[in-house]
Amino acid sequence: MTVIRADAGRGWGWIVEGWQLFAKAPGIWIVIMLIYLGISVVLSLIPFVGMLAHALLSPVLGGGMVYGAAAQARGETLEIGHLFRGFQDQERMGPLVLLGLIGVAGYVLMGLVVMVFLGGSVFVGVALDSMGTNMPAEAMGGLLAGAGLVAVLIVVVVGFLVAMALFYGVPLVMLAGQNAWPGAQDSVAACWINVLPLLVFSAIYLVLAVVAIIPFGLGFLVLGPVTVCAIYASYRD
């Protein structure tokens, strides 16, 4: 894959193009988003297994929505069935699930980092105390704070890498036919090269997300599809 460096202003342009695609079939997009949210809620009610299933299947459903956006861009009619396109295309379903597995691995790594750093700090403190070392409370607090800061930094970095891997990874697998790992690698590279327009995109998205929350969160029924279409516009660039 050849990555093209976009201008910073394209961050706003992608959102505009995302809105234009959404506006072509707003009713269908809202129904698609309601079905996606319904599936997410049902899975969330299943302890542990539901959360794992949601993480693995989200790229499959997301790939279906990106496919719908691509179909619209080609002048085709958006259909509710596009949401499940990733399940219908057996060649794409496996790599999309693997993308979800990459995300799960990242989340597990973040959890382990927190456990190791914070748990390790507490263990060191207890060990020193059992050895008769009178560590002042301020020193113990500093040890915990330092470990917590390092853990937070690592978690933030891993979290960004996971987001970068999935941002273009889903359309690369769904639309370009790449396998999961090469798609994730190319996605990280594309995000890194286009960090400026993506920062603009993220800043605008945060403002829109705050606005979407105001009417009992109903604004996400619009912002969700617009975001998917904007990601497709970004991928197309």
Side-chain angles (χ1 to χ4, degrees):
M1 184 194 73
T2 302
V3 179
I4 297 175
R5 189 186 304 275
D7 295 332
R10 287 300 294 152
W12 167 245
W14 296 331
I15 293 177
V16 171
E17 292 174 21
W19 169 260
Q20 291 171 344
L21 284 176
F22 167 79
K24 290 182 178 180
I28 301 298
W29 273 119
I30 289 176
V31 171
I32 287 175
M33 184 55 54
L34 283 171
I35 294 173
Y36 173 79
L37 292 175
I39 293 173
S40 300
V41 170
V42 171
L43 290 177
S44 68
L45 297 177
I46 306 174
F48 183 72
V49 176
M51 295 177 59
L52 179 60
H54 182 267
L56 295 177
L57 296 181
S58 285
V60 184
L61 295 171
M65 287 189 277
V66 170
Y67 184 90
Q72 277 191 301
R74 294 193 300 266
E76 301 174 14
T77 301
L78 178 68
E79 300 175 0
I80 295 176
H82 283 149
L83 174 63
F84 305 104
R85 179 68 183 185
F87 294 100
Q88 297 166 355
D89 189 340
Q90 295 300 311
E91 292 184 0
R92 297 297 93 216
M93 181 177 174
L96 287 169
V97 171
L98 285 178
L99 278 181
L101 189 60
I102 291 173
V104 170
Y107 302 140
V108 171
L109 178 59
M110 287 188 279
L112 290 175
V113 167
V114 173
M115 291 176 58
V116 168
F117 275 86
L118 297 186
S121 298
V122 173
F123 176 78
V124 170
V126 172
L128 290 175
D129 186 62
S130 65
M131 293 169 61
T133 303
N134 296 321
M135 177 178 286
E138 294 80 4
M140 186 61 184
L143 179 64
L144 290 173
L149 179 59
V150 173
V152 167
L153 290 175
I154 295 176
V155 166
V156 168
V157 170
V158 174
F160 271 114
L161 286 174
V162 170
M164 291 166 69
L166 297 179
F167 192 83
Y168 294 118
V170 171
L172 280 170
V173 169
M174 188 70 205
L175 303 179
Q178 287 200 6
N179 288 322
W181 184 244
Q185 290 177 306
D186 287 342
S187 180
V188 171
C191 288
W192 180 255
I193 291 174
N194 289 281
V195 63
L196 289 180
L198 286 174
L199 284 174
V200 173
F201 177 90
S202 300
I204 297 172
Y205 175 82
L206 287 175
V207 174
L208 295 176
V210 171
V211 175
I213 291 174
I214 295 175
F216 305 102
L218 296 176
F220 283 101
L221 293 178
V222 174
L223 182 58
V226 170
T227 303
V228 171
C229 294
I231 290 173
Y232 168 72
S234 177
Y235 161 78
R236 186 173 57 186
D237 267 5

